[in-house]
Amino acid sequence: MDLLSAYRAMLEIRLFEEGVLRLAGQGLVPGATHPYTGQEAVAVGVLAARRPDEWVVSFYRCHGHALAAGSPPEPLLREILGRDGGVCGGKSGSMHLADRANHLLGSTSIVAAQLPIAAGAAMSAKLDGAGRAVIVFCGDGALSAGGAYETLMIAAAQRLPLLVVCEDNGWQDRTASPLVRHLTPTELVRGLRLPHVEVDGNDVEAVHEAATGALAACRDGGGVGVLVAHTYLRHFHSQLGPRPPAEYRPAAERERWLARDPLTVAADRITADLTALRAEVAAGTDALIRRVVDAGGPAPATAATGITVTGDALIGAAR
């Protein structure tokens, strides 16, 4: 992979997410937002290894996945702020992004619900015989959910071309993962006898190498695979309303992880001066935010678009 391009992609996600957090602090983000800051190397490393026609399925921490999948930042930010011109018409919000043009099948706010959706897409990919895989992201908490277990069993039995990317950041909401899980994600999938690889999720090159091999195996008929990426959030699990949560993680833990920030890890390997690049991305992000904040909301007439059943049909069915 081209490390400079990967660094730029991670920086764009980082500044986008920091901008979203500033807007949330101003009360401009409807509902909850889940920042991806600190985990950028996972999305960028994995999705740089996918084919452009391979579906990606995400969950509530989806902004970074969407950007790494190729979704343009302005329609995404418009969606997050509930503005006209959002990628879903300004009606899905932060946790339910979808961009079919860039093969982001969708995102869900329900823990682990993305896994069976992705398995269905993987079944379709297997049946069409085009040699495509499907990529689904989840947290370490989701991998322990009942729906995830059932999905992994079926996907393995059917040898579905599904790559499950577990972003293990060590916390489930504000609870340390070791307090609520008996096995680590790697121990869990090893016990299920699933092909898997464990990687430093803050090293974009290592993630990319691991994802390249895992996806090749999925495409070649190896069935479901799991990539466990160890990473860490710079900020927090989520923010609802204008006030961010108080810090709940041990200071020493935060310092240890933040010293290995994925942008720092990548920058230390790049010989070029990154000053101009950082200034360019920052200026572009600031301009984007100004444009989107000044935009209006969706027209009321669009309230009934993008749904499968209209109000009249529901009333008729009730009769």
Side-chain angles (χ1 to χ4, degrees), residues 17-38:
E17 290 289 73
E18 290 178 345
V20 169
L21 289 176
R22 290 196 299 273
L23 295 170
Q26 300 169 35
L28 297 177
V29 177
T33 187
H34 298 72
Y36 198 64
T37 49

Side-chain angles (χ1 to χ4, degrees), residues 10 13 19 37 41 45 50 64 71 83 97 120 122 126 143 149 161 180 202 221 237 240 251 270 286 296 300 315:
M10 292 191 294
I13 295 172
T37 49
R50 75 156 179 157
S71 294
R83 298 295 198 264
L97 299 178
K126 179 181 179 179
L143 201 62
Y149 179 87
V180 290
N202 283 15
H237 175 77
L240 178 61
I270 297 173
D286 290 344
I315 293 172

Side-chain angles (χ1 to χ4, degrees), residues 133-158:
V134 172
I135 301 163
V136 59
F137 292 91
C138 71
D140 58 306
L143 201 62
S144 301
Y149 179 87
E150 184 176 10
T151 297
L152 291 172
M153 292 296 92
I154 296 173
Q158 296 295 323

Side-chain angles (χ1 to χ4, degrees), residues 185-276:
T186 300
E187 290 169 338
L188 174 66
V189 296
R190 183 184 297 132
L192 298 177
R193 300 181 183 177
L194 296 177
H196 61 278
V197 60
E198 198 168 8
V199 69
D200 178 358
N202 283 15
D203 183 337
V204 70
E205 291 181 305
V207 172
H208 179 66
E209 181 179 358
T212 298
L215 281 169
C218 288
R219 297 179 190 123
D220 291 342
V224 62
V226 181
L227 190 158
V228 178
H230 299 290
T231 185
Y232 199 75
L233 285 170
R234 285 189 66 87
H235 286 88
F236 39 74
H237 175 77
S238 67
Q239 178 174 335
L240 178 61
R243 297 185 62 181
E247 183 54 61
Y248 52 87
R249 298 170 297 181
E253 176 186 286
R254 293 188 69 247
E255 291 173 6
R256 184 174 69 254
W257 274 100
L258 296 184
R260 293 203 71 259
D261 182 277
L263 287 171
T264 303
V265 172
D268 286 345
R269 299 175 185 167
I270 297 173
T271 57
D273 185 356
L274 298 171
T275 304

